[in-house]
Amino acid sequence: MNKGLHRYTLLVTGATFFLLIAGALVTSHDAGLATSDWPLSNGQVFPRMVGNLFWEHGHRMVATTVGLLTIGLALYFFKSEQRTRVRRLGILALAVVIAQGLLGGLTVKLNLPLAVSAAHATLAQLFFCTVVSLSVFTSRGWFENRPMLTEKGSVPLRYLSVAATITIFLQLILGATLRHSATWDHFLPTELVLAHIGGAVAVVLMLGATIALVLKRYGGESYLTKPALLASGLLLLQICLGVAAYLTRLKSPYDPQPLNPMVEITVAHVACGALVFATTIVLTLRIFRTVKATEAAFEFAHV
Amino acid sequence: MVNQKLNITNSDPTQHNIHFTPKNNDDWNQSQPNGAAPMTHEFKRAEVLVPVKCNQHPWMKAYVGVLKHPFFAISKPDGTFTISGVPAGTYTVAAWHEGPGNGTEKTMQVTVPASGAGKADFSFSAATAGNPSSLEMMPALEFPMAMKH
């Protein structure tokens, strides 16, 4: 295990989480078009941070920092990582962050079209997913010798956890589309709200089943139960934040500008969604690390 | 008017951005620092009221009426309005009231006789204007009425 590489990856992961919050603040403050310039703001590298330009340009500065950190990450993995797939993932992270930066520029130059804005928000979660995975792959727990567990039951936990991760990712896409479909001064489209609520039910079922099976089958394995319990707590918090975000968002079109608590609660909902996603990825990777694939699961994998 | 040049000047000691969010015309967003030269913009299609916002200062909002003709009016404090010089014929009158989203627009068919006047009565519910407690923070609002063919 390379402690330095792991710590650096954790630093990039933390910075990326902060960047997600900074991006969510831009959307909630309706600051995405505070300047019509990109990559400069009003023709300047360091403009006066007037009004919403603070959020938009602040987001760009944090994004630049994460971009530079990711260049370092890719170089670090290229130089130090022995496992080919993990090394490639480290380099892929750089490609993702470059694509994300270009998408961010497109959102400004095209005046925030829904598809591009939602893609920008979705790719942000994918990048976060990538660096979280790299953090897991470089962690001490991943390298420790631990006995492989066998699948205990008819439902393979490996595939259930993957299904939960995919469900959460689809829900994140729905959430991003919903958030970018209307600014604070317009009402959210009912059909997208209903789809997002439906997605929440699906996430509760899939992730809830995964957590329940982990606790039931491997209750003594803290390597699995810790992320499972954390995911359950975050999921509960996320549902509460989702209800609160919806209620505050219902009132925001009547307000003279984006106000708290709408801004804070919707941003917290985005951030908590990312944490649910990250924790589920950690859980899924740990399941793949410790739970042996069953014959049935193997066959399923080759269908 | 359609295709008329609209002059945009920033006389504030701070920068703004002008962001038109029309339904029938192209979306347009330009930053305008304080002291910058005036900008011009044209709308190619008629639209009763095009919302304009400043994304740097989200409480700043305005509306631009774009018509193919000069027949429009802004209602008085008592809600009445008069559009003079309209030739005889049948028209669609559109009335607009500010509120959540892009406000509320209502239309009505009105016949103007050769001599005399046509009449159009519109009513907007309190819900159209939104929650008064939130809007108390706004400066006095004007509710322009506009007419289109």
Side-chain angles (χ1 to χ4, degrees), chain A residues 30 33 36 52 185 251 255, chain B residues 17 31 53 55-56 101 131 134:
Chain A
D30 193 14
L33 294 176
S36 52
N52 267 349
D185 50 349
K251 293 288 288 176
D255 290 333
Chain B
N17 79 309
S31 298
K53 59 178 169 182
N55 290 96
Q56 285 196 35
N131 184 341
S134 291

Side-chain angles (χ1 to χ4, degrees), chain B residues 64-146:
Chain B
V64 177
V66 186
L67 302 172
K68 291 179 181 170
H69 53 76
F71 302 114
F72 66 93
I74 296 172
S75 61
K76 296 173 190 167
D78 64 359
T80 60
F81 67 97
T82 304
I83 301 172
S84 305
V86 182
T90 299
Y91 300 92
T92 301
V93 180
W96 179 89
H97 193 302
E98 185 169 23
N102 289 338
T104 304
E105 184 180 316
K106 293 186 175 183
T107 57
M108 189 181 287
Q109 291 283 319
V110 175
T111 299
V112 179
S115 61
K119 190 175 180 184
D121 282 332
F122 293 96
S123 63
F124 291 90
S125 67
T128 303
N131 184 341
S133 62
S134 291
L135 289 177
E136 275 171 8
M137 294 174 67
M138 297 280 280
L141 298 172
E142 286 187 342
F143 305 124
M145 304 284 184

Side-chain angles (χ1 to χ4, degrees), chain A residues 151 156 159 292-302:
Chain A
E151 287 273 15
Y159 295 112
K292 248 192 292 188
T294 60
E295 198 173 319
F298 181 78
E299 285 169 4
F300 176 73
H302 287 81

